[in-house]
Amino acid sequence: MSLMWTVKVLGLGVVALSLSVELLSRLLHRLRPGGPLNEALFFPSELACVEHIFTSLSPRSCLCPLPHGVETSFSRLLRRILSATSSLDLCVFAFSNMGLSRAVLALHSRGVTVRVLTDKDYTAIPGSQIGVLRKAGICVRCDASPVHMHHKFAVVDGRLLITGSLNWTLAAVQSNMENVLVTEEPDLVRPYVKEFLRLWERNDPGQMPPHE
Ligand SMILES: [Zn+2]
């Protein structure tokens, strides 16, 4: 066989292999009972204690005055965030919610790689948790473009997308009408992973390219 043929056959083999890996991973996803995770959350969330989500305490042993043992949109959101085992990429305009900050700090102290991209104008506002996250050693980048970095999405372990209208503030969780979509659909997760990386690299303080 000529060298050119060998190269062609090898090339076809590589294409076939990568296609079958892609097909297999799609198939495995479909075979999961119930398919990929999809969940819609609406806010404002009912007010309920979330202490048991952070600690191994039984909800009954908490003495705070809030209702206990109640699953709410907020508790579901916290559980999804805390399900991270390797990475959390967060792209959020406003971040002042203490419960969400506690979740991000907990992930960081568990060794999960956390990257936070936020809007430069919001970071210095009173109550912003960005300084707290930075002090804890979490890598934060501020978008320096002249327009708002108005996204509100997070990607957990590169596989689970959390996105919607919800800023990570107390008002958004407890007062506003907001929506959040949680999904593991690879066709939706993939572009968000890509967009996060694009914005993350664009705001690398080491090599800030000029913004048009
Ligand atoms: Zn409680």
Side-chain angles (χ1 to χ4, degrees):
M1 213 191 285
S2 75
L3 179 64
M4 208 171 80
W5 270 106
T6 315
V7 169
K8 276 188 182 167
V9 169
L10 268 177
L12 275 175
V14 169
V15 170
L17 184 69
S18 57
L19 274 177
S20 48
V21 168
E22 171 81 11
L23 281 175
L24 189 67
S25 78
R26 277 172 185 246
L27 191 67
L28 284 175
H29 236 91
R30 296 274 145 80
L31 288 178
R32 239 187 65 155
L37 169 83
N38 284 310
E39 185 176 32
L41 302 174
F42 295 99
F43 294 81
S45 178
E46 277 174 75
L47 208 57
C49 178
V50 290
E51 199 55 35
H52 60 286
I53 295 175
F54 291 101
T55 59
S56 49
L57 284 176
S58 136
R60 274 185 222 155
S61 60
C62 180
L63 298 173
C64 85
L66 294 172
H68 289 88
V70 186
E71 198 74 72
T72 66
S73 303
F74 187 55
S75 67
R76 284 176 187 276
L77 176 65
L78 281 176
R79 284 186 205 281
R80 295 302 178 202
I81 295 163
L82 287 166
S83 74
T85 56
S86 61
S87 66
L88 175 74
D89 288 334
L90 172 64
C91 198
V92 71
F93 172 68
F95 192 166
S96 61
N97 186 293
M98 302 286 279
L100 290 166
S101 175
R102 187 176 171 192
V104 172
L105 292 168
L107 289 179
H108 175 65
S109 62
R110 257 190 237 164
V112 170
T113 305
V114 179
R115 295 187 288 189
V116 179
L117 184 71
T118 190
D119 186 81
K120 65 172 185 326
D121 293 333
Y122 187 82
T123 42
I125 281 170
S128 168
Q129 288 295 302
I130 296 301
V132 178
L133 302 183
R134 275 208 164 116
K135 262 184 214 145
I138 291 174
C139 205
V140 178
R141 288 185 186 174
C142 294
D143 188 85
S145 58
V147 293
H148 281 315
M149 200 304 294
H150 215 236
H151 288 309
K152 300 119 176 101
F153 73 85
V155 179
V156 174
D157 292 342
R159 72 171 162 85
L160 177 83
L161 168 68
I162 300 169
T163 186
S165 65
L166 188 91
N167 265 308
W168 286 28
T169 64
L170 196 61
V173 169
Q174 288 186 2
S175 313
N176 298 348
M177 280 178 268
E178 309 272 5
N179 71 86
V180 170
L181 185 69
V182 181
T183 179
E184 276 182 345
E185 293 285 353
D187 290 346
L188 292 173
V189 178
R190 217 177 292 120
Y192 280 83
V193 169
K194 203 172 151 198
E195 180 64 0
F196 182 86
L197 285 177
R198 187 181 75 83
L199 296 177
W200 186 254
E201 272 152 30
R202 195 175 81 162
N203 289 290
D204 181 352
Q207 42 171 338
M208 284 295 250
H211 283 96
E212 64 282 352

